Each structure stands twice: as structure tokens, then as C-alpha cells.
Amino acid sequence: MLNDSQLEAFYTVAMEGSFTRASEILHLSQPALSRRLQSLEETVEFTLFDRTPQGVELTEAGKKLLMYVKNKKALEQDALLDIRGEARGSLSGLIRIASNSSILEQVVMPALAPFLLDHPQVQVEFSVKPNSVLDEMLNYSKTDIIISNLENDRKDVVQFLMGEEEFICIESSTLQGRSHVYLDANPNDTTTEDFFKNQPNAPKKIHRSFMHDENGILRGVQLGLGRAIKPRHTLKGAKDLKIVRGFTSLRKPVYLRHSKKQFFTRLEKSVIEVLQKEVPKFFK
């Protein structure tokens, strides 16, 4: 039989990605924590974690067990709400959402703001990450929901098309800037490269500078430090910017994804419904 204390130890290590942090949270010594996990692995007859220099990662068996534990917790939370008579009232709990900075800050946060104001007991953990690592976060249960420009056809995730981001070229409207320089978030950011890939009048050579922050990119353009390729929706309310004519806009789809599982908490269901309803409005 699966033991609750062992499952809680497993869940905490899986969510924290660290034996040290898990032992602190559970108020256990690391040897005691290791014994619980070893006993659990003997019960299920599978190794649940791979040890890496960065911490611990779930094995395929560990991922399956984590899904079971999360379903179990979802059922327990809903049972408590029903018993307390709160099933139709205010929601509570933690929801974790990850996306790239332009979507998270300009779309997800304003889309969820009214919902969060209506449910003050809800905790939310926003993570700004590049598209390239979002699916890995979801795969290892580091987040509950991701919103990404990249498609994923894995069978263990549920995916919704939310709309399209329209990328355009912008520059300062008040200062004569460096038109040969394009501002990106970091060296791995392919936005500018993707934009000019099929442009008939693309610059022969592009000089890049890196701001490492979406707001920094916009501020850099305003100061004339260079041009940038940005989603149109991020320019609402921004001053001293103008669209550079002569280029065809680039459209990238936006997907919402979450893990496929049998049970969802009321909070998870509610947040997914709000995002499905409100996020597409930002791309029209």
C-alpha cells in the first residue's frame, strides 16, 4: 500500500527539485527523507528520481506517480470545499503559470486580474521563461499551465490555440536611432531572425544588442538605441514608438497547454476557463 507520509515526501521533492529544500519544508533530516523515498521506491518497484548536478529529475515512473499524487490532492481539496460548504463560494489555493515575458506581462496578468481580485485567497506564481523551456517545466511539473508560441503534439498534454501574435518592426518616433541595430532579449532570441527570414527587403547585415528584458527592449527603442521586432499587442499605451513600414508582419500562434489528468481542482478549472475566454481578446 502507498503510504501518505512517503507520498508527501515524494511530492515535496518533486515540486522543489531538491532534497535539501524538501527536508527543510518537511522538517526532516535528509537521511530520514531518503529512507522514506527508498521505501516508496521499493513499494512501487521503480526508481522515481534521477540525481543530477542541478538537483533531481523525475523518471518516467516518477512522472506517473506525481500525476497520481496531484489527482489525489485535487480530490482532497474539493472534498474539503464541499464539507465546509465553500464549493460554490470563493476559491483558494495555488496556481502556477509560465510564459514568455511579452505574453505573461501584457496578456496573462491583465486577463487574470479581475478573477484574482474576486478571489483574494488564490495564490498565483507567475514565471517568465523563454518558449524553449516552457514544455520542460510542464513535463517536470514545475508549472501547472504554460502559454507558448511553440506547438506540442504530445499525448500527455492538452493544448488550445488561443490566437496569433502579430510581430512588427518598430523604432523611435522622436529620435533618429541606429536603424542597423536590432534589440533582442538575449543571444538565443530568434525573433528578429524569424521576422527577416522571408522579407524580400531584409537588411543585408543585422547588428544585435541584448536587453534581457521586454520592457528594456521597448525603452531602448524609445531612446533610439535600435529597432526591434515586437508583438503589436505589447505597444498599446507605449509612447514615442512608430511602426517601420515596408515589412510584412510575422504571425506566430499562441497555445495554452496543461498536463492531461483525470481530476482538476476547482481552481485549476476556473483559471483555465478564464484564460480560454479572456486571452484570445488580446490578439484580435
Side-chain angles (χ1 to χ4, degrees):
M1 293 290 292
L2 295 175
N3 181 287
D4 282 348
S5 64
Q6 294 171 353
L7 290 177
E8 189 62 27
F10 163 76
Y11 178 78
T12 306
V13 174
M15 299 305 288
E16 295 298 323
S18 164
F19 276 83
T20 301
R21 290 196 296 272
S23 64
E24 292 172 353
I25 292 171
L26 296 171
H27 303 291
L28 289 172
S29 66
Q30 288 198 41
L33 177 61
S34 295
R35 285 194 296 271
R36 286 192 186 183
L37 292 174
Q38 182 179 357
S39 178
L40 179 60
E41 288 180 327
E42 291 173 355
T43 299
V44 299
E45 298 181 349
F46 278 100
T47 300
L48 300 173
F49 293 104
D50 287 327
R51 278 68 172 176
T52 71
Q54 292 73 35
V56 294
E57 293 183 354
L58 290 166
T59 63
E60 288 303 315
K63 292 176 188 176
K64 291 180 181 179
L65 183 60
L66 181 60
M67 190 62 64
Y68 162 79
V69 176
K70 292 180 79 172
N71 286 338
K72 179 174 178 290
K73 284 181 173 291
L75 280 173
E76 290 173 349
Q77 184 174 336
D78 279 1
L80 284 174
L81 289 173
D82 285 333
I83 292 170
R84 293 170 179 170
E86 299 174 3
R88 298 184 181 276
S90 181
L91 296 168
S92 62
L94 171 67
I95 191 76
R96 302 168 301 160
I97 304 171
S99 186
N100 62 59
S101 58
S102 66
I103 292 178
L104 188 70
E105 295 171 3
Q106 301 291 333
V107 177
V108 175
M109 292 177 69
L112 271 183
F115 171 84
L116 295 173
L117 290 173
D118 286 341
H119 300 281
Q121 298 305 312
V122 170
Q123 293 177 286
V124 62
E125 180 182 304
F126 290 125
S127 297
V128 174
K129 300 292 181 180
N131 286 314
S132 57
V133 305
L134 292 174
D135 280 296
E136 182 179 1
M137 290 182 67
L138 189 64
N139 188 33
Y140 286 101
S141 295
K142 302 301 183 185
T143 188
D144 302 308
I145 299 168
I146 66 171
I147 300 181
S148 169
N149 293 114
L150 303 179
E151 188 175 9
N152 189 321
D153 58 359
R154 284 178 43 180
K155 295 181 179 179
D156 59 344
V157 300
V158 179
Q159 177 172 272
F160 303 95
L161 177 63
M162 308 299 283
E164 290 183 327
E165 282 192 297
E166 182 188 10
F167 287 80
I168 54 179
C169 182
I170 61 171
E171 65 182 1
S172 173
S173 61
T174 59
L175 299 172
Q176 186 175 357
R178 304 186 298 172
S179 61
H180 65 293
V181 175
Y182 284 81
L183 309 182
D184 283 319
N186 56 66
N188 297 321
D189 185 353
T190 64
T191 302
T192 299
E193 178 185 348
D194 294 341
F195 182 84
F196 284 116
K197 193 173 295 182
N198 297 313
Q199 299 284 353
N201 55 343
K204 293 182 179 180
K205 188 174 183 180
I206 295 174
H207 297 267
R208 302 172 72 199
S209 289
F210 308 109
M211 303 291 105
H212 296 278
D213 177 83
E214 292 295 329
N215 291 326
I217 292 176
L218 292 179
R219 185 60 181 148
V221 174
Q222 290 170 331
L223 293 172
L225 302 183
R227 292 176 170 181
I229 309 303
K230 297 298 297 173
R232 185 184 292 272
H233 68 83
T234 64
L235 307 182
K236 294 178 180 178
K239 298 179 179 180
D240 302 328
L241 299 173
K242 68 177 181 180
I243 299 173
V244 179
R245 304 299 176 183
F247 297 118
T248 302
S249 64
L250 171 69
R251 293 183 177 273
K252 289 187 176 184
V254 177
Y255 300 98
L256 181 151
R257 279 194 290 280
H258 59 77
S259 296
K260 184 181 293 184
K261 56 184 182 178
Q262 189 173 0
F263 300 104
F264 291 86
T265 65
R266 284 183 172 83
L267 175 59
E268 290 171 330
K269 291 177 183 177
S270 298
V271 169
I272 291 170
E273 288 174 1
V274 170
L275 291 175
Q276 286 181 302
K277 178 182 177 182
E278 298 299 328
V279 167
K281 297 177 182 179
F282 289 80
F283 302 125
K284 292 181 179 178

